[in-house]
Amino acid sequence: MGDREQYTPGPASGAQIRKDGDKWTLILVRELRHSPEKVWRALTEPTHLREWAPFEADGSLGTVGNTVKLTTVGAPAPHVTETRVTRADRPQDA
């Protein structure tokens, strides 16, 4: 990749907030001009995430069950969060 401009999204719309017990989910909808497979790579693969996300991942976010460390980028002090992938729905061919 290498070109951050390639991942410029449109404005977020259709925001929803859902509460399930003590857990909250924020849903934002974005229209992207890229293929579903390219967006999937941008959201799940560490080398592609690095191009646009405010964090780096030490593993794939595209496999359910993976435990991944996310480290902030550009913050005054790095913040590391360990997360487990509980859902990852790869796009299906139309």
Coordinates of all heavy atoms in Angstrom, one line a residue:
M1 N 0.8 -1.2 0.0 CA 0.0 0.0 0.0 C 0.9 1.2 0.0 O 1.3 1.6 -1.0 CB -0.9 0.0 1.2 CG -2.3 -0.3 1.1 SD -3.3 0.4 -0.1 CE -3.7 -1.0 -1.0
G2 N 1.1 1.8 1.2 CA 2.0 2.9 1.3 C 1.4 4.3 1.0 O 2.1 5.3 1.3
D3 N 0.2 4.4 0.5 CA -0.4 5.7 0.2 C -1.6 5.9 1.1 O -2.7 5.3 0.8 CB -0.7 5.8 -1.3 CG -1.3 7.1 -1.7 OD1 -1.3 8.0 -0.8 OD2 -1.7 7.2 -2.8
R4 N -1.5 6.6 2.1 CA -2.6 6.8 3.1 C -3.9 7.4 2.3 O -5.0 7.1 2.7 CB -2.2 7.7 4.2 CG -1.2 7.1 5.1 CD -0.9 8.1 6.3 NE -1.9 8.2 7.2 CZ -2.1 7.4 8.3 NH1 -1.3 6.4 8.5 NH2 -3.1 7.6 9.1
E5 N -3.7 8.1 1.3 CA -4.8 8.7 0.5 C -5.7 7.6 0.0 O -6.9 7.8 -0.2 CB -4.3 9.5 -0.6 CG -5.3 10.4 -1.3 CD -5.9 11.4 -0.3 OE1 -5.2 11.9 0.6 OE2 -7.1 11.8 -0.5
Q6 N -5.2 6.4 -0.2 CA -6.0 5.3 -0.8 C -7.1 4.9 0.2 O -8.1 4.2 -0.2 CB -5.1 4.1 -1.1 CG -4.2 4.4 -2.3 CD -3.4 3.2 -2.7 OE1 -3.7 2.1 -2.3 NE2 -2.4 3.5 -3.5
Y7 N -7.0 5.2 1.5 CA -7.9 4.7 2.5 C -8.8 5.9 3.0 O -9.3 5.8 4.1 CB -7.2 4.1 3.6 CG -6.7 2.7 3.3 CD1 -5.4 2.4 3.4 CD2 -7.6 1.7 2.9 CE1 -4.9 1.1 3.1 CE2 -7.2 0.4 2.6 CZ -5.8 0.1 2.7 OH -5.4 -1.1 2.4
T8 N -9.0 6.9 2.2 CA -9.8 8.1 2.7 C -11.2 7.7 2.6 O -11.8 7.5 1.5 CB -9.5 9.3 1.8 OG1 -8.1 9.6 1.9 CG2 -10.3 10.5 2.3
P9 N -11.9 7.6 3.7 CA -13.3 7.2 3.7 C -14.3 8.4 3.6 O -13.8 9.6 3.8 CB -13.6 6.6 5.1 CG -12.6 7.4 6.0 CD -11.4 7.6 5.1
G10 N -15.5 8.2 3.2 CA -16.5 9.2 3.2 C -16.9 9.5 4.6 O -16.5 8.8 5.6
P11 N -17.8 10.4 4.8 CA -18.3 10.8 6.1 C -19.1 9.6 6.7 O -19.8 8.9 6.0 CB -19.2 12.0 5.9 CG -19.6 12.0 4.5 CD -18.4 11.3 3.7
A12 N -19.0 9.5 8.0 CA -19.8 8.5 8.7 C -21.3 8.9 8.8 O -21.6 10.1 8.8 CB -19.3 8.3 10.2
S13 N -22.2 8.0 8.7 CA -23.6 8.3 8.8 C -24.3 7.1 9.5 O -23.7 6.0 9.7 CB -24.2 8.5 7.4 OG -24.1 7.3 6.6
G14 N -25.6 7.3 9.8 CA -26.4 6.2 10.3 C -25.9 5.7 11.6 O -25.9 4.5 11.9
A15 N -25.3 6.5 12.5 CA -24.8 6.1 13.8 C -25.8 5.4 14.6 O -27.0 5.9 14.7 CB -24.1 7.2 14.5
Q16 N -25.5 4.3 15.2 CA -26.4 3.6 16.2 C -25.6 3.3 17.4 O -24.4 2.9 17.3 CB -26.9 2.3 15.5 CG -27.7 2.5 14.3 CD -28.1 1.1 13.8 OE1 -28.3 0.2 14.5 NE2 -28.3 1.0 12.4
I17 N -26.3 3.3 18.5 CA -25.7 2.8 19.8 C -26.6 1.8 20.3 O -27.8 1.9 20.4 CB -25.6 4.0 20.8 CG1 -24.7 5.1 20.3 CG2 -25.1 3.5 22.1 CD1 -24.6 6.3 21.1
R18 N -26.0 0.6 20.7 CA -26.8 -0.5 21.2 C -26.2 -0.9 22.6 O -25.0 -0.9 22.7 CB -26.7 -1.7 20.3 CG -27.4 -1.4 18.9 CD -27.4 -2.7 18.1 NE -27.9 -2.4 16.8 CZ -27.7 -3.1 15.7 NH1 -27.0 -4.2 15.8 NH2 -28.3 -2.8 14.6
K19 N -27.1 -1.2 23.5 CA -26.6 -1.7 24.8 C -27.1 -3.1 25.0 O -28.3 -3.4 24.8 CB -27.1 -0.7 25.9 CG -26.6 -1.1 27.3 CD -27.1 -0.2 28.3 CE -26.4 -0.6 29.6 NZ -27.0 -0.1 30.8
D20 N -26.2 -3.9 25.5 CA -26.6 -5.3 25.8 C -26.0 -5.6 27.2 O -24.8 -5.9 27.3 CB -26.0 -6.3 24.7 CG -26.4 -7.7 25.0 OD1 -27.3 -8.0 25.8 OD2 -25.7 -8.6 24.4
G21 N -26.8 -5.5 28.2 CA -26.3 -5.6 29.6 C -25.4 -4.5 29.9 O -25.7 -3.3 29.8
D22 N -24.1 -4.8 30.2 CA -23.2 -3.7 30.6 C -22.2 -3.4 29.4 O -21.3 -2.7 29.5 CB -22.4 -4.0 31.8 CG -21.5 -5.3 31.7 OD1 -21.7 -6.0 30.7 OD2 -20.6 -5.5 32.5
K23 N -22.5 -4.0 28.2 CA -21.7 -3.8 27.0 C -22.4 -2.9 26.0 O -23.6 -3.0 25.8 CB -21.4 -5.1 26.3 CG -20.5 -6.0 27.2 CD -20.2 -7.3 26.4 CE -19.4 -8.2 27.3 NZ -18.9 -9.4 26.6
W24 N -21.6 -2.0 25.5 CA -22.1 -1.0 24.5 C -21.5 -1.3 23.1 O -20.3 -1.7 23.1 CB -21.8 0.4 24.9 CG -22.5 0.9 26.1 CD1 -22.1 0.6 27.4 CD2 -23.7 1.6 26.2 NE1 -23.1 1.2 28.3 CE2 -24.0 1.8 27.6 CE3 -24.5 2.2 25.2 CZ2 -25.1 2.5 28.0 CZ3 -25.6 2.9 25.6 CH2 -25.9 3.0 27.0
T25 N -22.2 -1.0 22.1 CA -21.7 -1.2 20.7 C -22.1 0.1 20.0 O -23.2 0.6 20.0 CB -22.4 -2.4 20.0 OG1 -22.1 -3.5 20.7 CG2 -21.8 -2.5 18.6
L26 N -21.1 0.7 19.3 CA -21.2 1.9 18.4 C -21.1 1.4 17.0 O -20.1 0.7 16.6 CB -20.2 2.9 18.7 CG -20.2 4.1 17.8 CD1 -21.4 4.9 17.8 CD2 -19.0 5.0 18.1
I27 N -22.1 1.7 16.2 CA -22.1 1.3 14.8 C -22.1 2.6 13.9 O -23.0 3.4 14.1 CB -23.4 0.5 14.4 CG1 -23.4 -0.8 15.3 CG2 -23.4 0.1 13.0 CD1 -24.7 -1.5 15.3
L28 N -21.1 2.7 13.1 CA -21.0 3.8 12.1 C -21.0 3.2 10.7 O -20.4 2.2 10.5 CB -19.7 4.6 12.3 CG -19.6 5.3 13.6 CD1 -18.2 6.0 13.7 CD2 -20.7 6.4 13.7
V29 N -21.7 3.8 9.8 CA -21.8 3.3 8.4 C -21.0 4.3 7.5 O -21.2 5.5 7.6 CB -23.3 3.3 7.9 CG1 -23.4 2.8 6.5 CG2 -24.1 2.3 8.8
R30 N -20.2 3.7 6.7 CA -19.4 4.5 5.7 C -19.5 3.9 4.3 O -19.4 2.7 4.2 CB -17.9 4.6 6.1 CG -17.7 5.4 7.4 CD -16.2 5.6 7.5 NE -15.9 6.3 8.7 CZ -15.5 7.6 8.8 NH1 -15.3 8.2 7.7 NH2 -15.3 8.2 9.9
E31 N -19.6 4.8 3.4 CA -19.6 4.4 2.0 C -18.2 4.5 1.5 O -17.5 5.5 1.7 CB -20.5 5.4 1.1 CG -22.0 5.3 1.4 CD -22.6 4.0 1.1 OE1 -22.2 3.4 0.0 OE2 -23.5 3.5 1.8
L32 N -17.7 3.4 1.0 CA -16.3 3.3 0.5 C -16.3 3.0 -1.0 O -17.1 2.3 -1.5 CB -15.5 2.2 1.3 CG -15.5 2.4 2.8 CD1 -14.9 1.2 3.5 CD2 -14.7 3.6 3.2
R33 N -15.3 3.6 -1.6 CA -15.2 3.4 -3.1 C -14.4 2.2 -3.5 O -14.0 2.0 -4.6 CB -14.7 4.7 -3.7 CG -13.2 5.0 -3.3 CD -12.8 6.3 -4.0 NE -11.4 6.5 -3.8 CZ -10.9 7.3 -2.8 NH1 -11.7 7.9 -2.0 NH2 -9.6 7.4 -2.6
H34 N -14.0 1.3 -2.5 CA -13.2 0.2 -2.7 C -14.0 -1.1 -2.7 O -15.1 -1.2 -2.2 CB -12.1 0.1 -1.7 CG -11.3 1.4 -1.5 ND1 -10.5 1.9 -2.5 CD2 -11.3 2.3 -0.6 CE1 -9.9 3.0 -2.1 NE2 -10.4 3.3 -0.9
S35 N -13.4 -2.1 -3.3 CA -14.0 -3.4 -3.3 C -14.1 -4.0 -1.9 O -13.3 -3.6 -1.0 CB -13.2 -4.4 -4.1 OG -12.0 -4.7 -3.5
P36 N -15.1 -4.8 -1.6 CA -15.2 -5.4 -0.3 C -13.9 -6.1 0.2 O -13.5 -6.1 1.3 CB -16.4 -6.4 -0.4 CG -17.2 -5.8 -1.5 CD -16.2 -5.2 -2.5
E37 N -13.2 -6.8 -0.7 CA -12.0 -7.5 -0.4 C -10.9 -6.5 0.1 O -10.2 -6.8 1.0 CB -11.5 -8.4 -1.5 CG -10.4 -9.3 -1.1 CD -10.7 -10.3 0.1 OE1 -11.8 -10.8 0.2 OE2 -9.8 -10.5 0.9
K38 N -10.8 -5.4 -0.6 CA -9.8 -4.4 -0.3 C -10.1 -3.8 1.1 O -9.2 -3.6 1.9 CB -9.7 -3.3 -1.3 CG -8.6 -2.3 -1.1 CD -8.4 -1.4 -2.2 CE -7.2 -0.4 -1.9 NZ -7.0 0.5 -3.1
V39 N -11.4 -3.5 1.4 CA -11.8 -3.0 2.7 C -11.5 -4.0 3.8 O -11.0 -3.7 4.8 CB -13.3 -2.6 2.7 CG1 -13.7 -2.2 4.1 CG2 -13.5 -1.4 1.7
W40 N -11.8 -5.3 3.5 CA -11.5 -6.4 4.5 C -10.0 -6.4 4.9 O -9.7 -6.4 6.0 CB -11.9 -7.7 3.9 CG -11.6 -8.9 4.8 CD1 -10.6 -9.8 4.6 CD2 -12.3 -9.3 5.9 NE1 -10.6 -10.7 5.6 CE2 -11.6 -10.4 6.4 CE3 -13.4 -8.8 6.6 CZ2 -12.0 -11.1 7.6 CZ3 -13.8 -9.5 7.7 CH2 -13.1 -10.6 8.2
R41 N -9.1 -6.3 3.9 CA -7.7 -6.3 4.1 C -7.3 -5.0 4.9 O -6.5 -5.1 5.9 CB -6.9 -6.3 2.8 CG -6.9 -7.6 2.2 CD -5.8 -7.7 1.0 NE -6.0 -6.6 0.1 CZ -6.7 -6.6 -1.0 NH1 -7.4 -7.7 -1.3 NH2 -6.8 -5.6 -1.8
A42 N -7.9 -3.9 4.6 CA -7.6 -2.6 5.3 C -8.0 -2.7 6.8 O -7.4 -2.1 7.7 CB -8.3 -1.5 4.6
L43 N -9.1 -3.5 7.1 CA -9.6 -3.6 8.4 C -9.0 -4.7 9.3 O -9.0 -4.7 10.5 CB -11.1 -3.8 8.4 CG -12.0 -2.7 7.9 CD1 -13.4 -3.1 7.8 CD2 -11.8 -1.4 8.7
T44 N -8.4 -5.7 8.6 CA -7.9 -6.9 9.3 C -6.4 -7.1 9.3 O -5.9 -7.8 10.2 CB -8.6 -8.1 8.8 OG1 -8.3 -8.3 7.4 CG2 -10.1 -8.0 9.0
E45 N -5.7 -6.7 8.2 CA -4.3 -7.1 8.1 C -3.4 -6.0 8.7 O -3.5 -4.8 8.3 CB -4.0 -7.3 6.6 CG -4.7 -8.5 6.0 CD -4.4 -8.7 4.6 OE1 -3.4 -8.1 4.0 OE2 -5.1 -9.5 3.9
P46 N -2.5 -6.4 9.5 CA -1.6 -5.4 10.2 C -0.9 -4.4 9.2 O -0.8 -3.2 9.5 CB -0.6 -6.2 11.0 CG -1.3 -7.5 11.2 CD -2.2 -7.7 10.0
T47 N -0.4 -4.9 8.1 CA 0.3 -4.0 7.2 C -0.6 -3.0 6.6 O -0.2 -1.9 6.3 CB 1.0 -4.8 6.1 OG1 0.1 -5.6 5.4 CG2 2.2 -5.7 6.6
H48 N -1.9 -3.3 6.4 CA -2.8 -2.4 5.8 C -3.4 -1.5 6.9 O -3.6 -0.3 6.6 CB -3.9 -3.1 5.1 CG -3.5 -3.8 3.8 ND1 -3.4 -3.2 2.6 CD2 -3.0 -5.0 3.6 CE1 -2.9 -4.0 1.7 NE2 -2.7 -5.1 2.3
L49 N -3.6 -2.0 8.1 CA -4.1 -1.2 9.2 C -3.1 0.0 9.5 O -3.5 1.1 9.7 CB -4.2 -2.0 10.5 CG -5.5 -2.8 10.7 CD1 -5.3 -3.8 11.8 CD2 -6.7 -1.9 11.0
R50 N -1.9 -0.3 9.4 CA -0.8 0.7 9.7 C -0.9 1.9 8.8 O -0.5 3.0 9.1 CB 0.6 0.0 9.5 CG 1.7 0.8 9.9 CD 3.0 -0.1 9.8 NE 3.0 -1.2 10.7 CZ 3.1 -2.5 10.3 NH1 3.4 -2.7 9.0 NH2 3.0 -3.5 11.1
E51 N -1.6 1.7 7.6 CA -1.7 2.8 6.6 C -2.7 3.9 7.1 O -2.7 5.0 6.6 CB -2.1 2.3 5.3 CG -1.0 1.4 4.7 CD 0.3 2.1 4.4 OE1 0.3 3.3 3.9 OE2 1.4 1.5 4.6
W52 N -3.7 3.5 7.9 CA -4.7 4.5 8.2 C -5.2 4.5 9.7 O -5.7 5.5 10.2 CB -6.0 4.2 7.4 CG -6.6 2.9 7.7 CD1 -6.3 1.6 7.2 CD2 -7.6 2.6 8.7 NE1 -7.1 0.7 7.7 CE2 -7.9 1.2 8.7 CE3 -8.3 3.4 9.6 CZ2 -8.8 0.7 9.5 CZ3 -9.3 2.9 10.4 CH2 -9.5 1.5 10.3
A53 N -5.0 3.4 10.4 CA -5.5 3.4 11.8 C -4.6 4.1 12.8 O -3.4 4.2 12.6 CB -5.7 1.9 12.2
P54 N -5.2 4.5 13.9 CA -4.4 5.2 15.0 C -3.7 4.2 15.9 O -3.3 4.5 17.0 CB -5.4 6.0 15.7 CG -6.7 5.2 15.6 CD -6.6 4.6 14.2
F55 N -3.6 3.0 15.4 CA -2.9 1.9 16.2 C -2.2 0.9 15.3 O -2.5 0.9 14.1 CB -3.9 1.2 17.1 CG -5.0 0.6 16.4 CD1 -4.9 -0.7 15.8 CD2 -6.2 1.2 16.3 CE1 -6.0 -1.2 15.1 CE2 -7.3 0.7 15.6 CZ -7.2 -0.5 15.0
E56 N -1.3 0.2 15.8 CA -0.7 -0.9 15.1 C -1.2 -2.2 15.8 O -1.4 -2.3 17.0 CB 0.8 -0.9 15.1 CG 1.3 0.3 14.3 CD 2.8 0.3 14.2 OE1 3.5 -0.5 14.9 OE2 3.3 1.1 13.3
A57 N -1.4 -3.3 15.0 CA -1.8 -4.6 15.5 C -0.7 -5.6 15.3 O 0.0 -5.5 14.3 CB -3.0 -5.0 14.7
D58 N -0.5 -6.5 16.2 CA 0.6 -7.5 16.1 C 0.1 -8.8 15.5 O 0.8 -9.8 15.5 CB 1.3 -7.7 17.5 CG 0.4 -8.5 18.4 OD1 -0.8 -8.7 18.2 OD2 1.0 -9.0 19.5
G59 N -1.2 -8.8 15.0 CA -1.7 -10.0 14.4 C -3.0 -9.6 13.6 O -3.4 -8.5 13.6
S60 N -3.5 -10.6 12.9 CA -4.7 -10.4 12.1 C -5.9 -10.2 12.9 O -6.2 -10.9 13.9 CB -4.9 -11.6 11.2 OG -6.1 -11.5 10.5
L61 N -6.8 -9.3 12.5 CA -8.1 -9.0 13.1 C -9.2 -9.8 12.4 O -10.3 -9.6 12.6 CB -8.4 -7.5 13.2 CG -7.5 -6.8 14.2 CD1 -7.7 -5.3 14.0 CD2 -7.7 -7.2 15.6
G62 N -8.8 -10.6 11.4 CA -9.7 -11.3 10.6 C -10.0 -12.7 10.9 O -10.7 -13.4 10.2
T63 N -9.5 -13.2 12.0 CA -9.7 -14.6 12.4 C -10.3 -14.6 13.8 O -9.7 -14.2 14.8 CB -8.4 -15.4 12.4 OG1 -7.8 -15.2 11.1 CG2 -8.6 -16.8 12.8
V64 N -11.5 -15.2 13.9 CA -12.1 -15.4 15.2 C -11.3 -16.2 16.2 O -10.7 -17.2 15.8 CB -13.5 -16.0 15.1 CG1 -14.2 -16.4 16.4 CG2 -14.4 -15.1 14.2
G65 N -11.1 -15.7 17.4 CA -10.3 -16.4 18.4 C -8.9 -15.8 18.6 O -8.3 -16.0 19.6
N66 N -8.4 -15.1 17.5 CA -7.1 -14.5 17.6 C -7.1 -13.5 18.8 O -8.0 -12.7 19.0 CB -6.7 -13.7 16.4 CG -6.1 -14.6 15.3 OD1 -6.0 -15.8 15.5 ND2 -5.6 -14.0 14.3
T67 N -6.0 -13.4 19.5 CA -5.7 -12.4 20.5 C -4.7 -11.5 19.9 O -3.6 -12.0 19.4 CB -5.2 -13.0 21.8 OG1 -6.3 -13.9 22.4 CG2 -4.9 -11.9 22.8
V68 N -5.0 -10.2 19.8 CA -4.1 -9.2 19.1 C -3.8 -8.1 20.1 O -4.7 -7.6 20.8 CB -4.9 -8.7 17.9 CG1 -4.0 -7.7 17.1 CG2 -5.2 -9.9 17.0
K69 N -2.6 -7.6 20.1 CA -2.2 -6.4 20.8 C -2.3 -5.2 19.9 O -1.7 -5.2 18.8 CB -0.8 -6.5 21.4 CG -0.7 -7.5 22.6 CD 0.6 -7.5 23.2 CE 0.7 -8.5 24.3 NZ 2.0 -8.7 24.8
L70 N -3.1 -4.2 20.3 CA -3.2 -3.0 19.6 C -2.4 -1.9 20.3 O -2.6 -1.7 21.5 CB -4.7 -2.5 19.5 CG -5.6 -3.6 18.9 CD1 -7.0 -3.1 19.0 CD2 -5.2 -3.9 17.5
T71 N -1.5 -1.2 19.6 CA -0.6 -0.2 20.2 C -0.9 1.1 19.5 O -0.8 1.2 18.3 CB 0.9 -0.6 20.1 OG1 1.1 -1.9 20.6 CG2 1.8 0.4 20.8
T72 N -1.2 2.1 20.3 CA -1.5 3.5 19.7 C -0.3 4.0 19.0 O 0.9 3.7 19.4 CB -1.9 4.5 20.8 OG1 -0.9 4.6 21.8 CG2 -3.3 4.1 21.4
V73 N -0.5 4.8 18.0 CA 0.5 5.4 17.2 C 0.3 6.9 17.3 O -0.8 7.4 17.2 CB 0.4 5.0 15.7 CG1 1.4 5.7 14.8 CG2 0.6 3.5 15.6
G74 N 1.4 7.6 17.5 CA 1.3 9.1 17.5 C 0.8 9.7 18.8 O 0.6 10.9 18.9
A75 N 0.6 8.9 19.8 CA 0.2 9.4 21.1 C 1.4 9.8 21.9 O 2.5 9.3 21.7 CB -0.6 8.4 21.9
P76 N 1.2 10.7 22.9 CA 2.4 11.1 23.7 C 3.1 9.9 24.4 O 4.3 9.9 24.5 CB 1.8 12.0 24.8 CG 0.5 12.5 24.1 CD 0.0 11.4 23.2
A77 N 2.3 8.9 24.8 CA 2.8 7.7 25.4 C 2.0 6.6 24.7 O 0.8 6.6 24.6 CB 2.6 7.7 26.9
P78 N 2.7 5.5 24.3 CA 2.0 4.4 23.7 C 1.0 3.7 24.7 O 1.3 3.6 25.9 CB 3.1 3.4 23.4 CG 4.4 4.1 23.6 CD 4.1 5.3 24.4
H79 N -0.1 3.3 24.2 CA -1.1 2.6 25.0 C -1.3 1.3 24.3 O -1.6 1.2 23.2 CB -2.4 3.4 25.1 CG -3.4 2.7 25.9 ND1 -3.4 2.5 27.3 CD2 -4.5 2.0 25.5 CE1 -4.4 1.8 27.7 NE2 -5.1 1.5 26.6
V80 N -1.1 0.2 25.1 CA -1.3 -1.2 24.5 C -2.6 -1.8 25.1 O -2.8 -1.8 26.3 CB -0.1 -2.1 24.8 CG1 -0.3 -3.5 24.2 CG2 1.2 -1.4 24.2
T81 N -3.4 -2.3 24.2 CA -4.6 -3.0 24.6 C -4.6 -4.4 23.9 O -4.3 -4.5 22.7 CB -5.9 -2.2 24.1 OG1 -5.8 -0.9 24.6 CG2 -7.1 -2.9 24.5
E82 N -4.9 -5.4 24.7 CA -5.0 -6.7 24.2 C -6.5 -7.0 23.9 O -7.3 -6.7 24.8 CB -4.4 -7.7 25.2 CG -4.3 -9.1 24.6 CD -3.5 -10.0 25.5 OE1 -2.3 -10.1 25.4 OE2 -4.2 -10.7 26.3
T83 N -6.8 -7.5 22.7 CA -8.2 -7.7 22.4 C -8.3 -9.1 21.7 O -7.3 -9.6 21.2 CB -8.7 -6.6 21.4 OG1 -10.1 -6.7 21.2 CG2 -8.0 -6.7 20.1
R84 N -9.5 -9.7 21.9 CA -9.7 -11.0 21.2 C -10.8 -10.8 20.2 O -11.8 -10.1 20.4 CB -10.2 -12.0 22.3 CG -10.3 -13.4 21.7 CD -10.6 -14.4 22.8 NE -11.9 -14.2 23.5 CZ -13.0 -14.7 23.0 NH1 -13.1 -15.3 21.9 NH2 -14.1 -14.4 23.7
V85 N -10.6 -11.3 19.0 CA -11.5 -11.2 17.9 C -12.7 -12.2 18.2 O -12.5 -13.4 18.3 CB -10.9 -11.6 16.6 CG1 -11.9 -11.5 15.4 CG2 -9.7 -10.7 16.3
T86 N -13.9 -11.6 18.3 CA -15.1 -12.5 18.6 C -16.0 -12.7 17.4 O -16.8 -13.5 17.4 CB -15.9 -11.9 19.8 OG1 -16.3 -10.6 19.4 CG2 -15.1 -11.8 21.1
R87 N -15.8 -11.8 16.4 CA -16.6 -11.9 15.2 C -15.8 -11.3 14.0 O -15.2 -10.2 14.2 CB -17.9 -11.2 15.3 CG -18.8 -11.3 14.1 CD -20.1 -10.7 14.3 NE -20.9 -10.8 13.1 CZ -22.1 -10.4 13.0 NH1 -22.7 -9.9 14.0 NH2 -22.7 -10.4 11.8
A88 N -15.7 -12.0 12.9 CA -15.0 -11.5 11.7 C -15.7 -12.1 10.5 O -15.6 -13.3 10.2 CB -13.5 -11.9 11.8
D89 N -16.5 -11.3 9.8 CA -17.3 -11.8 8.7 C -16.6 -11.4 7.4 O -16.8 -10.2 6.9 CB -18.7 -11.3 8.7 CG -19.4 -11.8 10.0 OD1 -19.1 -12.9 10.4 OD2 -20.2 -11.0 10.5
R90 N -15.8 -12.3 6.8 CA -15.2 -12.0 5.5 C -16.3 -11.7 4.4 O -17.3 -12.4 4.4 CB -14.3 -13.1 5.1 CG -13.6 -12.9 3.7 CD -12.7 -14.1 3.4 NE -11.5 -14.1 4.1 CZ -10.4 -13.4 3.8 NH1 -10.5 -12.6 2.7 NH2 -9.3 -13.5 4.5
P91 N -16.1 -10.7 3.6 CA -17.1 -10.5 2.5 C -17.3 -11.7 1.6 O -16.3 -12.4 1.3 CB -16.5 -9.3 1.7 CG -15.2 -9.0 2.3 CD -14.9 -9.9 3.4
Q92 N -18.5 -11.9 1.2 CA -18.8 -13.0 0.3 C -19.0 -12.5 -1.1 O -19.4 -11.4 -1.3 CB -20.1 -13.7 0.7 CG -20.1 -14.2 2.1 CD -19.1 -15.3 2.4 OE1 -19.0 -16.2 1.5 NE2 -18.4 -15.2 3.4
D93 N -18.6 -13.3 -2.1 CA -18.7 -12.9 -3.5 C -20.2 -12.8 -3.8 O -21.0 -13.5 -3.3 CB -18.1 -13.9 -4.4 CG -16.6 -14.0 -4.3 OD1 -16.0 -12.9 -4.0 OD2 -16.0 -15.0 -4.5
A94 N -20.5 -11.8 -4.6 CA -21.9 -11.5 -4.9 C -22.4 -12.5 -6.0 O -21.7 -13.2 -6.6 CB -22.1 -10.1 -5.5

